[in-house]
Amino acid sequence: MLHEFQINLGLSQRSISKICDTRWICRYKTCNAIKTNFKAIVKALRFEINETSDKDVTQAIGILSSIEKASFVIHMFILNDVLNIINILSNQLQKKTETLGNAANLINGVITTFEKNRSCDYFSILWQQIEVFSNDNDISLNVPSKGSKRTRKQPNRYEHFVVLEITGEENEGECNIETEEEYWRGVAYYRIIDTLIINLKSRFSTESLLLATSLDSFLKMDSKNSEYFINQYLSILNVNQEDLKAEMLVAKNCALNLNNDFELDTIKEIVKKNTFPNIYKLFQVALTIPIGSATCERSFSCMRRIKNWLRTSMVQDRFSNLAILNIERDMSNNINNNDILEKYNKIKNRRM
């Protein structure tokens, strides 16, 4: 039914996917799909209410009354703008080739973007889009009455912390709200942006970002800028700092002789355990520190694809072997099937 209204309104056919807890791109796509197909969704809900008489009518009435409110439209536009920025970071962190140094630079860029967007000028541009959308869909942007509104208190989770950012409560006390734009800027926009900035800084601490940039410098054989990472593991790995500096200098010059703009693969070819023992120890640590859990989650996701209803009687050993082939499919896809058949043909006794 929704696709029929999309065709009649000249909209592209886009389905609204379910919310996924682990993939932020689903939230961005869903929010963007609702904004793009808002008219078609409203028409589909009204058709459901007028033409049917089953139990779904009650649910349709509830959804329709919710999405035609000003608070829904305003939060939809704010979240669509916010999730568009977060989606860039989410996609980058899921890449297999992403390094900690590049990730730290992108994280700082996202936080800086939110801090700069927390302004009256930026919200005014967003508010103009909201007004145009509301006029097209006959939605009123009036400020809710304050008669029954309770006084907002400081959240309990900030009780033992020094709050450096301006919270929604302080916004309401500071500015004299006169227009709808000022009201929603303080009540909705600033609260969402402040929460994002605080949680991003809490999730990606200064120490974590410093370790990430220092580790990336170590992979480039920059001894000066990688001191923070090296000092974390000097005593644990029993690394001699003077020998390490000499090894890093020699390894860097060897890499530059092979390629002026050397990459990680070049360093892997040069660093051998017998020749550069100190670099080798730290190199093992640097390559095993994960940037995220996306690769591990993909391993668990493949289980559902492998053990379907046709393979319910599969034993554990076969299931584990197939899972490894699927997880490491970058290598398994390069295997020639004819080589496997020839090897199998050379085996004399092929009985189980």
Side-chain angles (χ1 to χ4, degrees):
M1 187 188 300
L2 178 61
H3 291 308
E4 294 179 2
F5 287 112
Q6 288 174 340
I7 295 172
N8 295 332
L9 294 172
L11 301 173
S12 58
Q13 295 187 20
R14 300 179 63 182
S15 59
I16 301 173
S17 58
K18 294 183 179 180
I19 298 296
C20 179
D21 294 333
T22 57
R23 294 182 65 84
W24 283 95
I25 189 172
C26 296
R27 299 175 183 272
Y28 168 66
K29 287 184 176 179
T30 300
C31 191
N32 192 24
I34 292 174
K35 188 182 79 168
T36 306
N37 299 279
F38 189 83
K39 288 185 178 180
I41 293 171
V42 171
K43 285 184 175 293
L45 289 172
R46 288 176 177 169
F47 179 83
E48 180 74 18
I49 295 169
N50 296 327
E51 300 297 330
T52 59
S53 59
D54 54 8
K55 61 180 181 179
D56 295 334
V57 174
T58 305
Q59 187 177 5
I61 293 172
I63 295 173
L64 183 62
S65 62
S66 298
I67 67 175
E68 288 187 325
K69 291 181 179 179
S71 59
F72 178 86
V73 174
I74 292 167
H75 283 91
M76 178 182 65
F77 269 83
I78 295 173
L79 290 175
N80 184 70
D81 183 74
V82 165
L83 290 173
N84 192 11
I85 299 172
I86 292 178
N87 188 45
I88 298 172
L89 177 60
S90 177
N91 291 335
Q92 192 70 13
L93 291 177
Q94 292 182 40
K95 289 185 177 179
K96 293 182 179 180
T97 58
E98 180 65 6
T99 63
L100 286 170
N102 292 337
N105 185 33
L106 185 60
I107 290 164
N108 287 324
V110 170
I111 294 174
T112 304
T113 301
F114 283 131
E115 289 176 342
K116 290 183 177 180
N117 289 352
R118 192 192 183 283
S119 63
C120 299
D121 295 335
Y122 188 86
F123 183 73
S124 296
I125 299 173
L126 190 62
W127 183 256
Q128 293 175 5
Q129 300 175 11
I130 295 172
E131 286 183 326
V132 173
F133 182 88
S134 300
N135 292 331
D136 292 341
N137 295 278
D138 297 327
I139 297 173
S140 175
L141 297 175
N142 294 334
V143 176
S145 59
K146 303 179 182 179
S148 60
K149 187 177 180 181
R150 295 184 298 175
T151 304
R152 180 176 172 82
K153 297 181 179 180
Q154 186 74 9
N156 293 330
R157 61 180 179 274
Y158 299 142
E159 182 179 358
H160 302 292
F161 296 91
V162 178
V163 181
L164 300 178
E165 301 291 339
I166 300 175
T167 63
E169 176 194 15
E170 293 167 342
N171 287 334
E172 291 178 3
E174 282 181 355
C175 58
N176 183 19
I177 300 172
E178 296 179 354
T179 63
E180 290 87 354
E181 179 182 347
E182 292 176 352
Y183 174 82
W184 291 110
R185 185 176 65 226
V187 171
Y189 183 70
Y190 281 165
R191 290 182 182 178
I192 293 174
I193 295 295
D194 290 342
T195 303
L196 278 170
I197 294 173
I198 292 171
N199 282 279
L200 281 171
K201 289 182 177 180
S202 175
R203 173 65 180 84
F204 305 103
S205 61
T206 305
E207 292 78 11
S208 300
L209 297 179
L210 180 60
L211 177 64
T213 53
S214 178
L215 191 148
D216 209 44
S217 299
F218 173 77
L219 297 177
K220 297 176 181 177
M221 296 293 108
D222 186 353
S223 59
K224 183 178 179 180
N225 295 323
S226 60
E227 289 181 354
Y228 186 83
F229 165 71
I230 294 171
N231 292 334
Q232 300 291 325
Y233 298 97
L234 274 178
S235 58
I236 300 174
L237 300 176
N238 194 19
V239 174
N240 189 302
Q241 194 167 8
E242 295 297 327
D243 294 344
L244 178 64
K245 288 184 179 180
E247 290 178 10
M248 290 181 70
L249 184 61
V250 174
K252 184 176 182 179
N253 289 328
C254 291
L256 289 173
N257 289 333
L258 295 175
N259 190 355
N260 292 329
D261 189 17
F262 65 89
E263 296 180 354
L264 181 61
D265 293 335
T266 308
I267 296 295
K268 286 181 181 179
E269 296 176 1
I270 294 171
V271 175
K272 304 298 180 183
K273 186 176 182 180
N274 297 329
T275 312
F276 304 98
N278 294 290
I279 297 180
Y280 190 84
K281 293 178 183 178
L282 288 169
F283 212 62
Q284 287 179 311
V285 176
L287 293 178
T288 52
I289 294 178
I291 189 174
S293 60
T295 304
C296 301
E297 291 170 0
R298 290 191 189 100
S299 302
F300 289 103
S301 299
C302 77
M303 296 173 64
R304 183 182 297 177
R305 296 193 297 270
I306 295 173
K307 196 166 187 177
N308 52 30
W309 66 276
L310 292 172
R311 298 171 179 164
T312 53
S313 61
M314 186 190 307
V315 295
Q316 184 64 34
D317 291 340
R318 179 178 174 83
F319 180 54
S320 299
N321 294 333
L322 288 175
I324 293 172
L325 288 173
N326 185 271
I327 294 167
E328 304 296 340
R329 57 184 174 275
D330 293 339
M331 300 172 60
S332 61
N333 288 337
N334 296 326
I335 298 175
N336 190 354
N337 294 332
N338 293 328
D339 296 338
I340 299 174
L341 292 174
E342 289 178 4
K343 186 175 181 179
Y344 180 76
N345 188 40
K346 291 179 182 178
I347 300 174
K348 295 180 178 179
N349 187 8
R350 296 194 294 269
R351 291 187 177 182
M352 296 294 293

